[in-house]
Amino acid sequence: MAKETETAVMTNFIYNMIKEDLEKGVLGDKCVHTRFPPEPNGYLHIGHARAVLLNYRLAKIFGGKFNLRFDDTNPIKEEQEFVDSIMEDLRWLGADWQERLFFSSDYFEAKYEFALRLIKAGKAYVCDLDQEQIREYRGTLTEPGKESPYRNRSVEENLDLFKRMRSGEFPDGSRVLRARIDMAAGNLNMRDPVLYRILHSAHHRTGDKWCIYPMYDFDHPFSDAHEGITHSLCSIEYTDHRPLYDWIVDNAVALYPEAIAFRSRQTEFARLNLTYTVMSKRKLRRLVEEKYVESWDDPRMPTIAGMRRRGFSPTSIADFQERVGVSRADSTADLALLEHCIREELETSAPRLMAVLDPIKLVITNWPEGNTEMTEMENIPGDESAGTRKVPFSRTLYIERDDFMEDPPKKFFRLAPGREVRLKGAYIIQCEEVIKDSEGNVVELRCSYDPQTKSGADTSGKKVKGVIHWVSVVHAAWIKVNLYDNLFSIENPEEEKDVDFTDNINPRSLLVCENVPSEPAVAAADPGSRFQFLRKGYFYYDPVATKDDKLVFNRIVPLKDSWAKIKKK
RNA sequence: UGGGGCGUGGCCAAGUGGUAAGGCACGGGAUUUUGGUUCCCGCAUGCGCAGGUUCGAAUCCUGCCGCCCCAGCCA
């Protein structure tokens, strides 16, 4: 399957565009070169995975290169912690930047030189307007802006002031360097955008070396062109910035050619949203800070770290991205597709195990007390190479509470008074007695088994429709299980305008089963591995949550359940 | 009321003038010692709307409608 995603035909507009560029020879002797440019100020989420994988896979498919470059131009917001978590997430996703790990701050000196050259060319000036004045001068969406009174300073004065900005002579906010473009432009980004601001703040990499820092619009195109990025892919909200991107690159090529490896071009694609969750950084932060979830890597979070702990595999995420595709239209992918991807992968790769999430005791009255029989079960049905395991069967078992109904509807195939059902891998049993407590709750089922019906050696000729899983009481290994469900109870929590998004949080997004009996083989499981708990779903042995000898399993996704659909009708 | 972007079935998405791919979801059936899997079958006379060009339009033209983004010294 992993192989399939490697070779699958990509049919999105960016792939087509690059193919065309290659055919036309637009890249000259350059190979395709992409990059993922995160700001290290937060955790990556599934939406970022689209950008990561798109850039990485495009480079890979075309035999090109992929850089990881941190856009660290704002020392106030950025931290090493996020650099580390982002690299961990990328490695986990399989996006390999090889030796090309860069930081935008690596090129601060070159960018300063470029700024000097812009000034000398009369294309940038130091502006003394304060923040509020700059806003006023910018005009509005419908009215043009007006030119700054500092716009026509001499080159000498600009040079002098800019150098003194760098040397730390001026306080934060007192001056900025701006591009000299067009205050009447319909596109606000072109109304003399700020290129540099004064920030007396230590940077996570350059320390106190700088007290002026470039803005994204100046920094990003230059860094791309400097690194020789051929295709600069970004999300759709940057479309308005493209003319400015081109302005910077064109000027860099003209004024500072020795620093430029390629005339980079920007292409935008739509961000990815997912149903039943939120993606905005602000909302995710609130979920953590207001304790709706436990942490950034809570398995209910759409963060890469959260999905990793939930148990999703990198393959399933890549497959999901591939199937969703990429376009320029706003889109919200269906969670069901992601779930399909992980189920498809695990169907053929996850060993089966039995665990009873909501146990009820069942006694086989005609089975000798103290007698244990080892039944042999396939690890992965249909895959002999996955082998078999022995599961102890005895007189007293646990079965799932909802695998029994005292007064069942006709389509119910499981256990009920007088009815027969097969215990998976073992015998067919018949329910003969229902024992209740004083409040009328069913506490125990007494059944008889048919010795003729041993699994694999059935001579009875009996046919039963129901097959249920079970765990032998005395042999049970006790584990903790987290049953996760959607974090939000509505499809598009991000779209609800009139209520706070937290009002739509699903109160049952986590159901903890503290003591779940499971077959003994569970104890031999490797942390970080994935299983199917028979008939219940796919589970991940959470190495983070597991403490001491109490194993913790997270439900990645339940199995499809057509009985649940029938029940609803 | 300025600039930009986008509208193909429930959700994505191919398609770039020759008569609507594919996936997920959904419905039906077969197989099944997981009500899982697998396998069949079905699912847009229609491409935001209205005109026009053309033998022929989702694709070209015109007009309209709807949704999204932009007024950080954030990225």
Side-chain angles (χ1 to χ4, degrees):
Chain A
M1 231 240 350
K3 213 171 252 169
E4 213 169 276
T5 46
E6 290 299 342
T7 54
V9 257
M10 237 196 197
T11 52
N12 63 63
F13 73 102
I14 300 176
Y15 172 86
N16 294 339
M17 174 192 72
I18 295 178
K19 213 167 88 177
E20 207 170 297
D21 285 348
L22 255 15
E23 282 160 6
K24 286 185 188 157
V26 174
L27 308 188
D29 57 355
K30 284 274 301 174
C31 62
V32 172
H33 202 154
T34 61
R35 105 268 90 123
F36 177 64
E39 182 186 18
N41 73 341
Y43 287 84
L44 258 34
H45 55 62
I46 181 73
H48 294 113
R50 160 178 284 188
V52 171
L53 294 168
L54 184 63
N55 278 290
Y56 172 69
R57 294 211 52 227
L58 249 8
K60 185 157 189 183
I61 287 171
F62 290 107
K65 295 174 184 166
F66 167 77
N67 293 6
L68 169 58
R69 181 181 74 237
F70 286 95
D71 260 0
D72 55 349
T73 59
N74 186 349
I76 295 163
K77 296 167 81 177
E78 294 146 12
E79 294 170 30
Q80 185 62 38
E81 175 199 345
F82 298 121
V83 170
D84 297 338
S85 76
I86 288 169
M87 289 201 289
E88 185 186 356
D89 290 347
L90 254 66
R91 278 192 211 101
W92 183 74
L93 284 170
D96 181 9
W97 59 87
Q98 298 174 317
E99 75 287 358
R100 287 179 303 279
L101 167 63
F102 301 116
F103 292 82
S104 191
S105 52
D106 295 342
Y107 324 133
F108 276 174
E109 200 62 57
K111 276 174 271 212
Y112 177 76
E113 171 62 24
F114 176 39
L116 254 19
R117 295 186 188 200
L118 276 176
I119 292 170
K120 288 176 192 155
K123 297 198 170 190
Y125 63 95
V126 172
C127 181
D128 300 0
L129 258 26
D130 65 31
Q131 199 161 342
E132 197 168 313
Q133 291 169 317
I134 286 184
R135 192 186 317 130
E136 284 163 13
Y137 274 69
R138 186 156 34 228
T140 68
L141 293 178
T142 52
E143 300 156 319
K146 28 177 211 198
E147 298 185 347
S148 162
Y150 305 98
R151 198 174 199 258
N152 296 309
R153 287 218 252 232
S154 70
V155 167
E156 292 66 35
E157 189 181 5
N158 279 319
L159 243 21
D160 174 61
L161 286 169
F162 187 54
K163 286 174 183 169
R164 288 162 63 195
M165 278 169 64
R166 174 178 184 172
S167 67
E169 255 183 68
F170 310 120
D172 288 4
S174 58
R175 287 187 165 84
V176 292
L177 183 74
R178 301 176 70 176
R180 205 163 181 280
I181 306 179
D182 178 9
M183 289 308 292
N187 182 344
L188 306 227
N189 295 118
M190 301 301 271
R191 319 242 261 229
D192 289 12
V194 172
L195 269 23
Y196 268 92
R197 75 284 216 190
I198 300 171
L199 248 29
H200 290 267
S201 172
H203 185 276
H204 73 115
R205 302 210 88 216
T206 59
D208 293 322
K209 185 173 181 200
W210 295 89
C211 61
I212 56 172
Y213 291 92
M215 298 287 291
Y216 168 87
D217 281 318
F218 173 75
D219 182 277
H220 197 86
F222 183 89
S223 296
D224 280 345
H226 182 66
E227 288 181 8
I229 300 303
T230 56
H231 299 271
S232 178
L233 311 181
C234 63
S235 49
I236 212 94
E237 69 266 29
Y238 289 101
T239 306
D240 283 349
H241 295 243
R242 193 167 64 221
L244 182 50
Y245 184 100
D246 291 337
W247 188 93
I248 294 289
V249 173
D250 287 346
N251 278 112
V253 168
L255 304 173
Y256 198 7
E258 62 271 39
I260 300 307
F262 193 79
R263 187 188 291 262
S264 305
R265 281 180 304 134
Q266 170 180 304
T267 302
E268 312 85 18
F269 60 88
R271 314 169 70 122
L272 176 66
N273 298 298
L274 234 202
T275 54
Y276 298 104
T277 192
V278 294
M279 220 67 97
S280 85
K281 208 168 272 183
R282 197 193 112 253
K283 293 195 176 85
L284 293 176
R285 184 175 304 118
R286 274 192 61 196
L287 291 173
V288 176
E289 284 173 359
E290 295 172 24
K291 310 270 189 232
Y292 291 106
V293 296
E294 282 166 26
S295 55
W296 283 94
D297 68 348
D298 186 296
R300 290 166 291 185
M301 291 284 273
T303 51
I304 300 301
M307 296 179 67
R308 181 166 57 228
R309 263 195 68 195
R310 174 78 163 258
F312 283 97
S313 67
T315 315
S316 67
I317 291 173
D319 188 28
F320 169 68
Q321 302 290 348
E322 207 53 55
R323 288 170 183 252
V324 169
V326 187
S327 73
R328 292 181 64 94
D330 292 348
S331 63
T332 303
D334 197 336
L335 217 212
L337 179 58
L338 212 210
E339 297 185 336
H340 169 82
C341 291
I342 188 68
R343 283 195 193 106
E344 185 180 79
E345 179 189 349
L346 266 20
E347 162 66 21
T348 53
S349 66
R352 271 62 291 213
L353 244 28
M354 293 195 290
V356 179
L357 271 22
D358 183 14
I360 181 171
K361 197 190 281 184
L362 182 153
V363 177
I364 300 173
T365 51
N366 58 340
W367 186 275
E369 205 117 18
N371 189 20
T372 297
E373 182 174 307
M374 299 305 282
T375 67
E376 190 162 25
M377 294 181 71
E378 297 173 286
N379 288 138
I380 300 177
D383 179 3
E384 276 182 33
S385 69
T388 60
R389 69 187 186 285
K390 297 270 206 289
V391 186
F393 181 84
S394 67
R395 188 172 203 262
T396 311
L397 311 171
Y398 289 117
I399 67 162
E400 226 45 84
R401 186 169 292 277
D402 64 7
D403 281 341
F404 171 80
M405 278 186 94
E406 200 171 8
D407 186 19
K410 43 188 177 308
K411 286 195 169 175
F412 186 77
F413 302 150
R414 285 112 89 152
L415 203 58
R419 295 234 197 142
E420 286 188 319
V421 81
R422 175 175 290 282
L423 294 174
K424 175 77 183 175
Y427 299 88
I428 291 177
I429 57 167
Q430 181 170 36
C431 178
E432 291 173 335
E433 192 184 349
V434 180
I435 297 176
K436 300 179 182 177
D437 63 13
S438 55
E439 287 163 3
N441 302 310
V442 177
V443 291
E444 186 180 315
L445 301 169
R446 299 182 78 82
C447 305
S448 62
Y449 87 107
D450 180 347
Q452 306 287 297
T453 58
K454 185 171 168 62
S455 185
D458 191 327
T459 55
S460 73
K462 278 184 186 169
K463 288 253 177 193
V464 287
K465 276 213 145 180
V467 177
I468 64 174
H469 61 282
W470 49 272
V471 167
S472 167
V473 172
V474 293
H475 302 95
W478 295 87
I479 59 174
K480 176 179 171 181
V481 170
N482 294 130
L483 298 179
Y484 293 106
D485 194 1
N486 302 341
L487 223 203
F488 290 86
S489 42
I490 60 169
E491 242 183 58
N492 296 301
E494 203 104 52
E495 275 175 19
E496 288 294 313
K497 301 292 184 208
D498 299 329
V499 298
D500 189 80
F501 80 103
T502 57
D503 291 354
N504 289 308
I505 288 178
N506 175 8
R508 287 175 295 279
S509 62
L510 170 59
L511 201 159
V512 181
C513 305
E514 287 291 348
N515 289 298
V516 169
S518 62
E519 60 170 275
V522 143
D526 294 323
S529 52
R530 303 178 178 87
F531 299 91
Q532 182 191 124
F533 286 170
L534 214 67
R535 302 207 303 135
K536 286 282 130 188
Y538 293 102
F539 291 77
Y540 176 68
Y541 179 174
D542 186 344
V544 179
T546 295
K547 301 271 186 288
D548 306 320
D549 56 352
K550 190 60 173 280
L551 276 47
V552 178
F553 284 80
N554 298 331
R555 183 173 68 189
I556 310 167
V557 63
L559 252 37
K560 283 210 238 165
D561 187 356
S562 57
W563 166 239
K565 280 181 194 166
I566 296 169
K567 225 168 25 175
K568 265 186 197 168
K569 289 180 189 170

